[in-house]
Amino acid sequence: MKIFKNLTVLSLEQATVAPYLTYRLAQDGMNVIRLEHPIYGDPNRFIGENVLDEERMNAYFLCINSGKKALTLNMADPKGQEIFKELVQKLDVDIFITNQLPKNYTKLGMAYDIMKEIKPDIIWLGLTGFGPDSNEGAYDPILQARSGLMELTGEADGDPQVLGIPLPDMGTSEHGYGLLMKALFKRSVTGEGTRIDLSMFESTVSWMTTPISLTKSFGATVSRRGNTHEFFSPVSVYKTSNGFVYLAVGNDRQWESMVSQDMFKSLAKEEYKKNKGRIADVDNLNTAITAITEQHTSEELIELFTAITVPISKIKKINEVLEDPLIARRILTSTDPKTGTKVTLAPPPNMTPFLEEHDQKLSFPPRFGEQNQEIYGDLLGYDAATLAEFKEKGIV
């Protein structure tokens, strides 16, 4: 939507939770400007392979920072705070985002009450590990451990496992995205800004719907179960003659369709007609299914189950996912004008008008302080000598 092009986001961000959120906003066409400390910067700039052969532009950083601009600013310095106020006013900032610890809000001059004085209708979002009253640091795996996610992940008789993606980080980003959209709607109706405090811990635990309800309400013990499902069977990974497939039979009607096929007729037993009976004998049933599936290729099984509308998939590697026609047409790219390096980016959850208009291309992730001259010099009006002095003093 073209209205997003008129919105400016200023974000004191690092790591993943705030950068992924602003990356989503950049995909809508918002003007996103990331702030970093002029000496330390975002630690994620140093993570991964040095694919461009230059400092602070390592591979890990390139994944979720396209479509943004970058400024350096020491907000602990009084002059830095003065410049920050100028930025908020001159950029006419609509949304401010930070994942700094709450103890730094006032110290760095970015507390909501301070910013509201500068821009009364500003939408302010503070992303924290455990809420605005806690200064406890939070990394994604710690949140996975504390929220119960790790207790639910892994084999039943094995150790707890971390998820393959950082759900506390990215899930909180998605919750933040929704809250910002709600705040923008509120502002469009009332003209009022909003303070949003979003806890990564609370965000993560909110995904634990069934485990929490069943544990607290009905005394159930919910733990990891490997590839099987607690309530439905057969649902699991099954070995084939050339790999693995994941099969998910979600109801008795689908089971009836499955055992009506010649390949699985031996499983058409009275005790398996109802899901309850299949769950009761899940280990033996899965062993029997595997004895059949391992005699056939993944492709044969996918063709059969797709024909009878029973969900199935090959366990795909990432390069195979990229070849999926539904994904290939949604892939984003970002090309470095300096080196010509092209970065392939994951598709958005929903294709935006901005991305369509720009052929699914985003500007390259910004180099450290890349827009300092453009914004401090051209917009705020600081001359070269003054900027050089600021740099020497560690202000920008």
Side-chain angles (χ1 to χ4, degrees), residues 10-26:
L10 190 60
S11 180
L12 181 60
E13 64 182 44
Q14 61 177 355
T16 299
V17 62
Y20 183 67
L21 171 54
T22 56
Y23 177 53
R24 293 273 285 107
L25 299 176

Side-chain angles (χ1 to χ4, degrees), residues 69-104:
K69 296 178 179 179
L71 295 176
T72 55
L73 184 64
N74 183 359
M75 293 173 61
D77 186 284
K79 184 60 182 179
Q81 291 186 18
E82 183 183 319
I83 294 171
F84 177 68
K85 290 180 181 179
E86 286 186 77
L87 283 173
V88 175
Q89 292 172 327
K90 294 284 181 68
L91 289 168
D92 194 21
V93 173
D94 298 282
I95 297 170
F96 177 77
I97 298 169
T98 184
N99 58 331
Q100 281 279 325
L101 293 175
K103 67 182 180 181
N104 293 327

Side-chain angles (χ1 to χ4, degrees), residues 174-189:
E174 290 297 336
H175 286 155
Y177 182 88
L179 289 168
L180 288 175
M181 293 302 162
K182 188 160 65 172
L184 284 168
F185 176 72
K186 171 190 166 184
R187 193 178 73 168
S188 73
V189 174

